[in-house]
Amino acid sequence: MGRYWRTLRRFWSTALAVQLEYQANVLIELLAVAMSLSGSLFLLSLFYGPDQTLGGWSWAQALMVQGLYTVFDGMASTWLRPNLGAIVTHVREGTLDFVLLKPIDSQFWLSLRTLSPAGLPEIGLGLALLAWGSLQAGVVLTLPTLLMVLVMLLAGGLILYSLWFLIAATSIWFVKTWNATEVLRALLASGRYPLNAYPPALRLLFTVVLPVAFLTTVPAQVLLGAAGAPMLLAGLGLAVVFFAAARSFWLFALRFYTSASS
Amino acid sequence: MRIFGLNRRIIRVLLGSQYAHMLEYRAEIALWALSGVLPFIMLSIWSGSDARSGLGLDGVALDRYFLSAYLVRQFSVVWVVYAFEEDALLGRLSPYLLQPLHPLWRYVAAHLGEQLTRLPFAALIAVVFFAVQPQAFWLPSLGGFLLAWLATWMAFAIAFLFQSLIATLCFWSEKASALERLQFIPFVFLSGLLAPLTAFPPAVRAWAQWTPFPYLIDFPARVLAGQPVDLIAGFGAQLAWIAVLLPLVLLLWRAGVRRYSAMGA
Amino acid sequence: MIQVDGLSKIYRVAEKQPGFAGTLRHFLRRRTRDVVAVQDVSFQIEPGEMVGFLGANGAGKTTTLKMLCGLIHPSSGRVQVGGFSPQRRQAEFLRRITLVMGQKQQLLWDLPPMDSLRVNAAVYGIPDGVARRRISELADLLELGEELTRPVRKLSLGQRMKAELLAALLHEPEVLFLDEPTLGLDVNAQARVRKFLAEYNRRTGATVLLTSHYMADITALCPRVLLIHQGRLFHDGPLEALAEQLAPEREVRLELESPVAPDALEGLGRLEQLEGCDVRLLVPRDQLTAVVAQLLDRFPVRDLDVTDPPIEELIGGLFRQGRV
């Protein structure tokens, strides 16, 4: 276990060193995030007509959902995109062989090899938006809710990671899956708005098949005291199921790779 | 006869080979067509929102607007800056520069080939859409369809020239594609892809009209959906943007090539 | 150290017609075809041996090498490396081997090699002090200095390859699998890599299995060679025996002061080409010294060069002669 920790520290310190080589990227990223967030807020404001509600959610409550979405989007830019996007490159250039020959778990290596600090400001902005929205919505933060929200955020992160990893792992068969992750990203964008803003069929889709609801809507409901224990358990259960699926799919993909690749 | 180094034979060969090339990538292009589903997600939110009444699009008009926005987007997607960057990086650009054909034509042909490959997938998505929302089904009149087609191609021309402008900056800076990323954000919000322009407050709307973005999606989509729209103003604005961008691109390209060959890169 | 018994690898390849219709037909009714990459290969390598692995492109060299590393599972047969079964890829096994691929690199492009070395040290669980000592030793041997702290993208191909070798050897593996380690390097860099490998083998007693397109790599390093053709092993033994078998003749190129008639070269090997002052002769190995002496003696020679035909040509020639 100690070896894994030490490896992780080395991974991330080299990642920081790479980023320092390209300082201008951080500025551009910051500008892009600021523009994108103000655009999203402007768009959200358009949905608030005379009744001042979107699927039963007030403006402040919807801001919480936007904030959570921004946090996860930032997590994707910091962690998922740089790592899981590199799997395709590894397969195409044949350097996956080097990873497989290291005496360390290959999924660990591929999932945590690097970090892109350029995405961190987005996480910060998302958290700030979440805090502001919660304040406006009159959320009373107690220790149990805080713990529950943290658990739900972890579960959401795990679900997002597993989904992304599942798609990235298919690059063992189809070398170009870059576009498949774009489809995932497009569908994830639905998490910007509370689940209730969607028609019933889509609600089902976003809860069960592509559980975007557990990333943004459910944690917001937890903060608002509107999510019951069954919802929490369902979220946790889904996270475990998705992670197990990602793990076993990777082992299956590796078996294929070692028996069929040339 | 040659215009910018083009003649009939070159056009035929270029389009044919690029179409064959793009067919090889049909799986990616299908996924790409699928990743453009954002307008449908937005449609489902707008349909249930109480702000809908302010859009001026009642009944099936909203469905038709967003389907049209999706289709227009599918046939005006531009990626020249990425292709150009890769070619410059891999050293493929130098041989292109030696040929008696403006290299930008090569990219134009690649885009047209890609659009042709995308056509069946986009049509399939439209069929699925009508299967889910049969009441929204409509067929534009021949005249309306041709006008929409023209408007979409003009939108493609504006987007292509705009991105080529950014691509030519690659001759000077490695960060040119970051500019593309930055301009994409206002495009998404102001083009009409996520919300029809009638949803905007009047001040924002008046201001957006002065950017090229509404003429890339909102205008062609309204023409396709059969909405009442000021055709003369729309096409006029599209032409004006092309008239501004085209000479700029050509000038900057020439200066860039001069710099490129001077550097001997 | 390495034991291979009856090793075979058969790929099942899907057959697909080009175009959209072909894709559709393929989707509905898959047709496959078996391709034999490696067939019934057996050999043994003792600890500390340096063995050259020869064969034309696509002969099955890389497939065999990858099976020895555990990257590809054999269809049949048995492989043991250092007492381990490679295909299980146990951490203990992976710590004892290394793979260097000439065309691929594990070093991070944007960072100095030192950063990648530190990552490898952590991954292999090498304490920092030990890692530092090994890096400085290996860097001395490889003649690497401040290159280790310069971004990889700014290194020359030769420097990059040396840094790759350092990264691959940091954990002091007992078995080295080297796939074309000198590919694309200039003559000087090739020679330095060769010298390093010989020295490393002498110091650590590591077992080395090496493929290369450059005959010089093999002649300099490997007393024993394995030759594989169309997936089958058909030579296992000293290099001299193979060289004589493959290239019983050497090529002598001459540039003369003045043109000569073809019959003047009678009895001096087989005449391949005669164009004015340029002459190419094929001379049996055992007569080489005598012939060269006579040539220098009889003709006004401006330049003389003795070469071995490229390995690909040699192997190709062997198979054309039907000696398989």
Side-chain angles (χ1 to χ4, degrees):
Chain A
M1 217 54 226
R3 189 160 59 91
Y4 277 76
W5 266 117
R6 184 161 158 241
T7 306
L8 204 58
R9 281 209 313 276
R10 287 283 156 82
F11 276 173
W12 291 351
S13 65
T14 55
L16 274 172
V18 173
Q19 281 301 314
L20 290 177
E21 292 265 310
Y22 299 102
Q23 290 144 345
N25 284 359
V26 179
L27 263 177
I28 292 167
E29 203 65 28
L30 211 62
L31 195 61
V33 166
M35 281 167 69
S36 183
L37 192 61
S38 34
S40 308
L41 291 181
F42 167 66
L43 190 67
L44 185 65
S45 75
L46 298 182
F47 289 125
Y48 280 83
D51 290 350
Q52 287 299 307
T53 140
L54 180 64
W57 289 61
S58 73
W59 168 251
Q61 292 169 336
L63 278 189
M64 294 166 63
V65 174
Q66 281 275 345
L68 283 160
Y69 176 82
T70 312
V71 170
F72 280 111
D73 198 52
M75 185 184 94
S77 338
T78 319
W79 169 36
L80 299 177
R81 212 162 331 141
N83 282 299
L84 306 182
I87 296 179
V88 185
T89 323
H90 275 310
V91 174
R92 198 177 50 213
E93 290 175 6
T95 45
L96 184 63
D97 290 346
F98 287 125
V99 177
L100 297 183
L101 287 182
K102 294 280 186 290
I104 203 158
D105 187 81
S106 52
Q107 190 176 355
F108 169 82
W109 174 293
L110 293 171
S111 303
L112 295 164
R113 178 68 191 85
T114 184
L115 269 191
S116 167
L120 291 175
E122 195 178 354
I123 298 183
L125 271 175
L127 286 174
L129 191 60
L130 176 63
W132 166 256
S134 307
L135 207 67
Q136 295 292 304
V139 167
V140 191
L141 201 62
T142 60
L143 194 62
T145 15
L146 185 68
L147 283 176
M148 276 202 293
V149 164
L150 283 178
V151 170
M152 280 321 284
L153 285 179
L154 277 177
L158 206 58
I159 289 173
L160 185 58
Y161 160 78
S162 308
L163 270 172
W164 206 301
F165 187 81
L166 270 168
I167 289 180
T170 56
S171 51
I172 298 268
W173 288 272
F174 319 104
V175 173
K176 292 190 172 173
T177 46
W178 182 81
N179 289 301
T181 48
E182 282 305 294
V183 178
L184 179 67
R185 262 166 63 77
L187 292 172
L188 285 177
S190 58
R192 282 179 189 276
Y193 308 101
L195 189 66
N196 295 43
Y198 292 97
L202 283 182
R203 268 182 241 170
L204 195 67
L205 177 79
F206 293 145
T207 314
V208 185
V209 185
L210 190 87
V212 188
F214 290 97
L215 302 191
T216 56
T217 303
V218 173
Q221 281 173 331
V222 169
L223 277 172
L224 292 164
M231 210 55 173
L232 290 180
L233 286 177
L236 281 177
L238 269 175
V240 171
V241 168
F242 270 80
F243 184 73
R247 178 71 186 168
S248 41
F249 185 67
W250 178 242
L251 296 177
F252 170 71
L254 275 188
R255 262 204 309 284
F256 176 83
Y257 182 80
T258 48
S259 65
S261 75
S262 53
Chain B
M1 203 188 88
R2 285 181 161 229
I3 309 162
F4 294 113
L6 275 184
N7 63 25
R8 274 235 307 276
R9 183 157 157 258
I10 296 179
I11 293 177
R12 215 179 48 231
V13 172
L14 214 54
L15 281 180
S17 66
Q18 291 290 359
Y19 179 52
H21 184 217
M22 288 300 163
L23 270 182
E24 288 298 308
Y25 292 97
R26 57 191 174 274
E28 277 92 49
I29 291 172
L31 284 174
W32 214 355
L34 199 61
S35 72
V37 294
L38 207 55
F40 300 124
I41 293 178
M42 297 321 287
L43 168 62
S44 63
I45 298 230
W46 277 112
S47 303
S49 132
D50 62 324
R52 182 186 171 160
S53 50
L55 294 179
L57 294 159
D58 12 281
V60 292
L62 191 66
D63 298 332
R64 290 179 185 170
Y65 173 82
F66 274 110
L67 177 64
S68 302
Y70 169 78
L71 291 173
V72 169
R73 169 73 183 146
Q74 289 308 302
F75 296 99
S76 60
V77 170
V78 173
W79 33 268
V80 58
V81 68
Y82 305 106
F84 181 84
E85 208 177 37
E86 196 184 317
D87 285 347
L89 210 68
L90 298 179
R92 280 193 292 237
L93 196 59
S94 303
Y96 292 168
L97 287 174
L98 294 178
Q99 291 172 355
L101 174 73
H102 201 294
L104 282 178
W105 284 121
R106 203 176 280 278
Y107 298 115
V108 173
H111 280 74
L112 294 179
E114 194 248 346
Q115 288 176 10
L116 204 56
T117 316
R118 199 182 271 242
L119 184 66
F121 304 118
L124 191 69
I125 287 188
V127 169
V128 170
F129 181 81
F130 287 135
V132 177
Q133 305 271 61
Q135 73 282 4
F137 183 77
W138 91 104
L139 275 177
S141 67
L142 184 65
F145 176 74
L146 288 177
L147 279 176
W149 193 4
L150 183 65
T152 307
W153 266 24
M154 300 269 274
F156 166 68
I158 297 173
F160 187 88
L161 287 170
F162 199 72
Q163 222 184 70
S164 303
L165 200 63
I166 293 174
T168 51
L169 295 179
C170 287
F171 284 123
W172 286 273
S173 160
E174 290 171 23
K175 292 275 171 296
S177 64
L179 264 181
E180 161 58 22
R181 207 166 113 65
L182 288 183
Q183 76 85 26
F184 187 72
I185 298 167
F187 161 78
V188 165
F189 292 107
L190 297 178
S191 64
L193 201 58
L194 307 182
L197 250 68
T198 39
F200 293 179
V204 179
R205 196 174 159 194
W207 172 75
Q209 303 277 359
W210 287 99
T211 70
F213 305 119
Y215 309 104
L216 298 180
I217 303 285
D218 187 88
F219 170 65
R222 277 172 197 273
V223 177
L224 183 59
Q227 290 284 310
V229 59
D230 188 345
L231 286 174
I232 297 171
F235 280 115
Q238 287 192 319
L239 268 178
W241 275 106
I242 292 175
V244 170
L245 288 168
L246 185 62
L248 260 178
V249 169
L250 292 177
L251 272 175
L252 220 64
W253 176 271
R254 204 173 305 162
V257 170
R258 212 175 300 136
R259 182 187 151 85
Y260 184 74
S261 34
M263 303 255 295
Chain C
M1 198 52 153
I2 301 176
Q3 279 201 6
V4 177
D5 283 315
L7 187 64
S8 297
K9 178 68 191 178
I10 297 160
Y11 291 116
R12 182 147 289 177
V13 184
E15 278 191 327
K16 184 179 92 65
Q17 303 294 312
F20 186 68
T23 309
L24 206 65
R25 212 173 306 138
H26 175 68
F27 186 75
L28 294 173
R29 215 176 49 181
R30 285 181 90 79
R31 289 170 83 182
T32 56
R33 172 170 65 92
D34 286 343
V35 175
V36 180
V38 174
Q39 198 172 12
D40 198 23
V41 167
S42 306
F43 58 84
Q44 271 194 36
I45 296 177
E46 299 305 318
E49 260 195 289
M50 285 188 101
V51 177
F53 202 22
L54 297 178
N57 284 330
K61 281 178 303 188
T62 304
T63 304
T64 309
L65 221 53
K66 283 190 173 182
M67 284 195 278
L68 293 177
C69 298
L71 285 171
I72 296 181
H73 293 188
S75 306
S76 64
R78 222 171 57 92
V79 185
Q80 288 257 304
V81 176
F84 290 89
S85 167
Q87 69 176 80
R88 294 173 61 196
R89 280 194 289 113
Q90 290 145 291
E92 247 342 276
F93 165 73
L94 296 176
R95 265 188 253 265
R96 284 167 201 231
I97 64 154
T98 200
L99 172 69
V100 176
M101 291 182 274
Q103 308 109 305
K104 298 170 189 174
Q105 52 168 14
Q106 60 165 321
L107 296 175
L108 290 177
W109 186 246
D110 286 318
L111 285 180
M114 198 51 111
D115 290 87
S116 299
L117 293 175
R118 284 163 48 82
V119 168
N120 274 7
V123 167
Y124 284 97
I126 307 166
D128 280 338
V130 178
R132 257 196 304 277
R133 207 193 62 233
R134 282 188 199 164
I135 290 173
S136 77
E137 276 173 22
L138 287 168
D140 277 351
L141 266 180
L142 284 161
E143 296 164 37
L144 280 171
E146 49 96 33
E147 289 92 344
L148 289 181
T149 50
R150 240 192 291 155
V152 172
R153 62 170 189 275
K154 292 188 176 147
L155 300 182
S156 73
L157 198 59
Q159 291 166 336
R160 216 182 295 156
M161 195 60 229
K162 291 196 288 183
E164 282 287 333
L165 277 169
L166 210 172
L169 298 175
L170 187 63
H171 57 289
E172 286 194 334
E174 295 161 22
V175 184
L176 276 59
F177 297 107
L178 306 165
D179 193 10
E180 303 283 353
T182 55
L183 197 72
L185 301 188
D186 66 48
V187 182
N188 288 328
Q190 281 181 25
R192 265 198 301 276
V193 167
R194 245 174 255 145
K195 205 179 101 196
F196 167 77
L197 290 173
E199 180 64 20
Y200 184 85
N201 167 264
R202 198 184 59 76
R203 283 199 192 180
T204 62
T207 311
V208 179
L209 187 57
L210 165 95
T211 78
S212 179
H213 266 76
Y214 303 110
M215 200 56 185
D217 284 347
I218 310 287
T219 47
L221 293 173
C222 310
R224 174 181 166 198
V225 293
L226 302 170
L227 180 63
I228 194 164
H229 178 65
Q230 290 181 345
R232 288 173 183 277
L233 183 74
F234 83 91
H235 176 88
D236 178 357
L239 181 66
E240 291 77 31
L242 180 67
E244 266 160 45
Q245 196 185 354
L246 284 180
E249 294 164 329
R250 303 194 79 186
E251 190 181 76
V252 178
R253 285 166 184 267
L254 283 173
E255 201 189 326
L256 302 175
E257 296 282 350
S258 56
V260 287
D263 32 334
L265 294 159
E266 195 86 33
L268 294 170
R270 194 147 53 84
L271 185 62
E272 277 279 287
Q273 190 196 359
L274 175 65
E275 247 173 66
C277 299
D278 291 323
V279 183
R280 270 173 55 197
L281 293 163
L282 286 178
V283 182
R285 276 172 189 275
D286 48 352
Q287 300 167 24
L288 189 65
T289 13
V291 168
V292 169
Q294 283 190 48
L295 283 170
L296 290 170
D297 195 36
R298 277 199 226 163
F299 303 103
V301 175
R302 192 183 286 157
D303 193 15
L304 185 144
D305 193 17
V306 181
T307 53
D308 265 324
I311 186 81
E312 299 280 296
E313 229 172 79
L314 284 179
I315 294 169
L318 180 70
F319 297 123
R320 270 197 303 280
Q321 286 166 29
R323 276 202 241 158
V324 183

